[in-house]
Every structure is written in structure tokens, then in C-alpha cells.
Amino acid sequence: MPANKRLSFLDRYLTLWIFLAMLLGVGLGYFIPDSSAWIDSLSSGSTNIPLAIGLIIMMYPPLTKVDFKLVPALFKQGKLLWTSLFITWIIGPLLMFVLAITFLSDKPDYLTGLLIIGLAPCIAMVIVWNELAQGNRELTAGLVGINSVLQVFFFSAYAYFYLEIMLPLVGLQGVHVDISFVSIAQTVGIYLGIPFVAAMLSRWGLRKIKGDQWFFYRFLPFISPFTLVALLFTIVVMFSLKGQMIVAIPVDVLRIALPLVLFFGIMFMLMFFTAKKLGASYADTAAVSFTASGNNFELAIAVSIGVFGLNSGQAFAGVIGPLVEVPALLLLVKFAAWAKKKYFI
């Protein structure tokens, strides 16, 4: 594929752009509160429309590069697949539970919000982190698809188990969370279904109409920069929505951030070195590691707002989740690039 100078420029200074976007978002939310109020008003239910648009555009180019015909063959890697699902769905929620009660037992609202974040693996931004780390696109798409289906069917059961059964077992008050199957399916459909369908239709329709040469050498290089531009836009929107709170209660932000940083780091390292020990390639190792370490903050925020209210501590913890995930996962992308040279080349 021919070089794309714009993409290379964005990619080369990505860390700087992301931190500038974070600062811009906080600045907008703090110094121009009307801007965050206006962005927040562009919502339908618990879905913020600018944020949803940013996430969908961000995911579209990487998904369009996925060769969906290769996805079924990847499930022949039974040991790697089952290990990934075990670490993601069994170890992950349990680890978040331990971290939450360790660091936030005196803040039940924040603790509950953190647990909700830990109950669902990432189905959106993981695609971007994997792309930046040059992981296996097809494996990531397959795992994201599986995790999406599992979320729809098991999120409510997981919420009941951890919030109503596990919390009382450690001496904390249980919390009842009532969220419908339809609400979860709607959230998954918006943030994953739309870009997935758009990518599949583009890949099939444009190749048929314009040919492979045009699709691979003209269209894909053209849309590739959209991922990073949409990522920066999404970061500005996310940080601006809570800019005032981030500045007003920085200690609370740090208290929520610490267990999240530990969660991302532990999950990534556990999956990364487990996959390597199983003999997986770097591309496969990166794919399963980012899938295991990220969380579906879109669903967590929707649940927290829907059950506890927009101004609740649970919703605040839900928003802090992606704000911490962005720099944390960016650092893990850097680690993956270093580990690739050290362990796989």
C-alpha cells in the first residue's frame, strides 16, 4: 500500500496530539461551561450523539481493512481463544471487584461505577488500539463480535452476581441494577453494529463496483486518517463533558483512576505473556491483549446514567473510565511496540 503522509504525520506525533486533545477538552469544559452543556444537550437518552459519531467514524477504517472471510478460520486456535475468553470474562470482572473494594470501599457510588465498568469487555476503542499496535485485525474483529454477543446475554447476570451477591459477602451493601436486554442490545448495536455493517458493505460493494486496485490503493489510504482524527475528536468531547468536575475534585478522579490503571496494566500483561507462552504470534498476542484489557465504557456509562442518574457518583466513575483508558492504553501500545522487538523479532 502506498505511503500516506498525512497518516504518518498523525501517527508520528500521536502521543502529543492525544494529550493536547485531553487538555483542550478539560479547558473547554472548565473555562467555557456552556460548550460542555451544549455538547451534553446533543443526546438521545443516555447516548451522546457527538460522542457516538466520533466512535463510529473512529472504528470504520480499521474494520474496513478486515478481511472478514479470514475470521472463521481464526477460531481454529482453540487454546488461545478459550484462554482469551477465560481471562476476559472470568479473571477481568473478578480483578476489578478486588481492586474496587480495595481502593473504594468507603465510596460506594464510585465502587459501584467501577464494578459496572469491569463487567463488560471493550467493543469499540480496542479496535483502534489494536490497529495502532499492528495486531491481528481479523482476530480482534472476531473477539469483539463474540464479546458483544456475550454482553447482550450475560451483562445483567454478571451485574446481579457482583453487585447483589458478592458485595454483601465482603460486608458491603448490595446494589440492585435493573437493565433490560433491549437496552444492552441497543448500546451494542449503536457502537458496534453500525460501523461493522458499514465496513462490510463498503468492502463488498466498493470492491465490486470499483475493483480491488482502487479499493486497496485509493480508498483505504484515503479513509485511514479518519481513525486518528475521530479519536482526537472523541477525546475532546469526553474530557469537555466532565472538565469542571475533573478540576473541581481531582482527588476523587485520582482515586478512581488508580484501580483503573492497575486493571488495564494487569489484564494486558497477564494476557500478553500468557499468549506468548502459548506460542501465539505477535499480531495475535497484541489482539487478545488489547481485547482483554479494555472495557466497554459506552455500556457502563449508559447503565450508570440509566439506573443511578446523570449526576450520580456511578455515572462520574463511568466517565472517568475512558478518560483513564485513553492514556493508559496508549502507553500499552508503546509497550507492545517495544515488546515486539524484544520478544518476537
Side-chain angles (χ1 to χ4, degrees):
M1 183 179 296
N4 188 310
K5 293 183 179 179
R6 187 183 176 198
L7 178 60
S8 299
F9 178 72
L10 286 172
D11 194 28
R12 182 178 178 183
Y13 299 103
L14 179 60
T15 303
L16 173 62
W17 306 143
I18 285 181
F19 280 102
L20 287 176
M22 292 163 60
L23 290 173
L24 175 60
V26 172
L28 285 173
Y30 183 73
F31 293 108
I32 314 177
D34 288 345
S35 65
S36 60
W38 178 72
I39 294 173
D40 192 41
S41 70
L42 301 175
S43 299
S44 177
S46 59
T47 301
N48 182 266
I49 295 174
L51 184 59
I53 292 173
L55 286 166
I56 290 168
I57 294 174
M58 181 179 70
M59 294 168 61
Y60 172 71
L63 286 173
T64 306
K65 298 174 185 177
V66 172
D67 188 346
F68 292 98
K69 293 180 181 178
L70 299 178
V71 173
L74 296 170
F75 296 111
K76 295 178 181 178
Q77 303 182 59
K79 186 177 292 186
L80 181 63
L81 176 63
W82 286 111
T83 301
S84 171
L85 293 176
F86 177 80
I87 291 177
T88 300
W89 283 94
I90 304 300
I91 301 297
L94 182 60
L95 174 62
M96 187 67 88
F97 179 81
V98 171
L99 291 171
I101 63 174
T102 300
F103 291 97
L104 294 168
S105 59
D106 62 328
K107 294 283 188 178
D109 290 355
Y110 294 162
L111 182 149
T112 303
L114 210 63
L115 290 180
I116 292 173
I117 292 173
L119 296 180
C122 187
I123 62 170
M125 294 189 76
V126 63
I127 294 171
V128 177
W129 304 128
N130 177 74
E131 185 76 4
L132 294 175
Q134 298 180 331
N136 187 324
R137 294 174 184 141
E138 288 73 26
L139 180 56
T140 300
L143 288 171
V144 164
I146 292 175
N147 287 333
S148 301
V149 173
L150 293 177
Q151 281 177 39
V152 171
F153 286 100
F154 294 112
F155 182 86
S156 296
Y158 263 57
Y160 173 80
F161 176 74
Y162 277 99
L163 298 176
E164 298 193 44
I165 295 178
M166 290 294 287
L167 283 180
L169 288 179
V170 295
L172 298 174
Q173 184 176 356
V175 179
H176 176 66
V177 175
D178 184 16
I179 181 169
S180 69
F181 174 94
V182 174
S183 298
I184 300 172
Q186 182 181 32
T187 301
V188 172
I190 291 172
Y191 292 106
L192 183 65
I194 292 175
F196 245 106
V197 171
M200 293 180 71
L201 290 176
S202 297
R203 190 175 179 90
W204 174 77
L206 292 177
R207 289 176 69 187
K208 188 173 183 179
I209 296 171
K210 302 288 290 186
D212 287 354
Q213 185 76 11
W214 180 88
F215 180 81
F216 287 110
Y217 290 91
R218 296 287 297 278
F219 182 70
L220 289 185
F222 172 74
I223 65 170
S224 288
F226 293 0
T227 293
L228 301 185
V229 172
L231 172 62
L232 297 175
F233 168 80
T234 302
I235 291 170
V236 172
V237 172
M238 287 193 300
F239 276 76
S240 68
L241 288 172
K242 293 297 178 181
Q244 287 187 312
M245 295 188 72
I246 291 171
V247 176
I249 48 177
V251 174
D252 286 25
V253 172
L254 291 175
R255 289 198 62 187
I256 296 169
L258 179 56
L260 283 168
V261 170
L262 290 173
F263 176 84
F264 296 139
I266 292 171
M267 288 294 290
F268 184 90
M269 297 302 175
L270 175 62
M271 189 69 253
F272 191 92
F273 289 105
T274 300
K276 183 181 181 301
K277 189 170 183 179
L278 291 174
S281 66
Y282 167 77
D284 289 352
T285 298
V288 295
S289 298
F290 283 106
T291 303
S293 55
N295 287 100
N296 186 353
F297 64 82
E298 303 91 351
L299 178 58
I301 293 172
V303 170
S304 295
I305 291 175
V307 176
F308 302 103
L310 178 63
N311 297 314
S312 65
Q314 292 87 345
F316 180 65
V319 172
I320 295 302
L323 305 190
V324 176
E325 183 183 57
V326 169
L329 271 291
L330 180 62
L331 288 175
L332 290 174
V333 169
K334 300 293 185 181
F335 170 82
W338 172 83
K340 180 181 180 181
K341 296 177 182 178
K342 183 175 178 63
Y343 297 110
F344 292 91
I345 294 179

